[in-house]
Amino acid sequence: MDHVKGGGRGVCNQQLTSGEEDDMMMTMMDLRRGPWTVEEDFTLINYIAHHGEGRWNSLARCAGLKRTGKSCRLRWLNYLRPDVRRGNITLEEQLLILELHSRWGNRWSKIAQHLPGRTDNEIKNYWRTRVQKHAKQLKCDVNSKQFKDTMRYLWMPRLVERIQAAAAAGPNSSTTAMATTTTATTTSNSNYQFNNMINNVDIIGSGQVMQLPQPNNLSSHYGGGVQMNPSSSTSLITPENSSTAASSDSFTAQFSPVSDLTTDCYNYPVNNQDYYQPNTNQLSYGETLTSPTGYFNQGLDFQVVMDQNNTWMDGGDVSDNLWNAEDVWFLQQQLNNNI
DNA sequence: AATTCTTTCAACCGCGCTTTG
DNA sequence: CCAAAGCGCGGTTGAAAGAAT
């Protein structure tokens, strides 16, 4: 068992509040809480290996674990399951998370279904610790249109660039390598394709395509396939892409910076104060900063913006450095100028 | 070296939905 | 059909590790 960072909630056998069935069980049976011991892990793994998963409460009892069924389930699904992958979130995974979150919001389990081996908990943690951190840096709400536009028009294209750069650098590149897993991975789940991920990014929306360098076949490292809902209304732009993405058994992680922003991608409650409110009298952040028209009408070369800091593309923690100081400064300048 | 601050993430909580008897 | 039990999901917490002072 590798080193576990973070303590979760403290180990104790404290009396719990009444109400929940698990709490009742704990009170009655003096169940354990807090971090799992190696012995408990071993017991749970052994039991599931022999009996399989099942009703978690009875499983916990039968296995002799002084844990709630819920706790056993969580431990198994998030940590002990043989196909669980932990470690750095890869660029491809980051891109997927951003894209899927833009569609579905905080539907972590749904998002996790499309990231083999990743748990909803891990994705949720990633979002909260990394993505929300950057929203905070930009002094905007993570659910605001500003931030979503920034993700879509700046962050995601940069991720694409990094993926492509890493792919061009070769299969041993640290950025394209699959996560530095610390646990075993199964063949079926660790191999997946990002076929036809992004060849062209339609920056403008109505056909003006930012031609990105041809990816050095992003999928070449990954075999197998993961299904993604092919009926999604968020689709890539160009006919050639749509045709190449038609492979029935390949994962087509498609995103378009201009995919229906007002439909599936930004389908948030209208009463959200932070959410985009049409304003015909003044330019919104999105129009002046991160929207395609905003960028290009102001003569800002998107590529230049993206290339402002090469170190962003360089080493460092793959899962971090999503923004650098210049990005933040730039975006904040735009905010100051236009609000 | 010691202390404080920040970040990370495993684990818990509560709610709502589903299954079971 | 109903009540209880079980399950899954999203939100939150807080201990430990690492960074900064």
Side-chain angles (χ1 to χ4, degrees), chain A residues 136-177:
Chain A
K136 199 174 172 183
Q137 284 176 341
L138 293 172
K139 294 185 171 68
C140 60
D141 188 277
V142 75
N143 290 321
S144 67
K145 183 176 189 299
Q146 292 100 309
F147 188 70
K148 287 170 181 170
D149 280 351
T150 305
M151 277 201 310
R152 189 152 286 270
Y153 299 121
L154 185 62
W155 190 345
M156 290 168 73
R158 292 185 79 157
L159 274 174
V160 172
E161 275 228 329
R162 290 181 71 187
I163 291 167
Q164 291 172 337
N172 292 327
S173 164
S174 61
T175 50
T176 50

Side-chain angles (χ1 to χ4, degrees), chain A residues 191-195 218-219 222-226 247 249-253:
Chain A
N191 298 330
Y192 53 100
Q193 290 182 319
F194 288 87
N195 273 357
L218 287 171
S219 63
Y222 318 114
V226 174
S247 171
D249 63 348
S250 64
F251 180 59
T252 54

Side-chain angles (χ1 to χ4, degrees), chain A residues 253-310:
Chain A
Q254 304 174 348
F255 86 82
S256 164
V258 286
S259 62
D260 281 333
L261 296 182
T262 54
T263 56
D264 59 332
C265 290
Y266 288 98
N267 192 14
Y268 289 84
V270 292
N271 60 353
N272 184 343
Q273 294 280 332
D274 290 321
Y275 185 61
Y276 172 66
Q277 310 251 329
N279 185 338
T280 55
N281 294 327
Q282 53 186 164
L283 293 174
S284 70
Y285 172 96
E287 285 166 331
T288 55
L289 170 59
T290 54
S291 81
T293 51
Y295 261 116
F296 290 93
N297 287 348
Q298 292 183 42
L300 291 173
D301 184 311
F302 191 79
Q303 193 64 46
V304 170
V305 173
M306 286 168 54
D307 287 344
Q308 274 185 332
N309 189 337
N310 287 333

Side-chain angles (χ1 to χ4, degrees), chain A residues 92-153:
Chain A
E92 290 90 343
E93 286 172 323
Q94 290 178 48
L95 188 58
L96 253 184
I97 291 170
L98 295 182
E99 167 62 15
L100 296 180
H101 187 275
S102 74
R103 289 186 199 174
W104 299 323
N106 297 354
R107 303 285 302 281
W108 306 119
S109 62
K110 190 171 183 178
I111 292 171
Q113 287 171 7
H114 297 281
L115 287 131
R118 297 295 184 184
T119 67
D120 54 353
N121 209 34
E122 189 168 19
I123 294 168
K124 182 170 57 181
N125 280 332
Y126 165 75
W127 185 266
R128 291 187 63 80
T129 59
R130 311 291 170 76
V131 179
Q132 289 194 346
K133 180 178 77 178
H134 294 298
K136 199 174 172 183
Q137 284 176 341
L138 293 172
K139 294 185 171 68
C140 60
D141 188 277
V142 75
N143 290 321
S144 67
K145 183 176 189 299
Q146 292 100 309
F147 188 70
K148 287 170 181 170
D149 280 351
T150 305
M151 277 201 310
R152 189 152 286 270
Y153 299 121

Side-chain angles (χ1 to χ4, degrees), chain A residues 26-43:
Chain A
M26 285 204 192
T27 303
M28 293 165 62
M29 300 176 63
D30 192 29
L31 296 180
R32 276 181 49 79
R33 301 175 64 195
W36 280 62
T37 65
V38 175
E39 290 76 20
E40 286 177 312
D41 283 343
F42 186 74
T43 301

Side-chain angles (χ1 to χ4, degrees), chain A residues 3-52:
Chain A
H3 169 71
V4 178
K5 186 185 172 187
R9 301 167 74 96
V11 180
C12 63
N13 290 323
Q14 69 194 60
Q15 296 286 309
L16 301 170
T17 56
S18 58
E20 277 278 302
E21 85 254 16
D22 288 340
D23 292 349
M24 287 295 288
M25 284 180 63
M26 285 204 192
T27 303
M28 293 165 62
M29 300 176 63
D30 192 29
L31 296 180
R32 276 181 49 79
R33 301 175 64 195
W36 280 62
T37 65
V38 175
E39 290 76 20
E40 286 177 312
D41 283 343
F42 186 74
T43 301
L44 182 57
I45 291 169
N46 247 340
Y47 189 87
I48 291 177
H50 284 99
H51 302 92

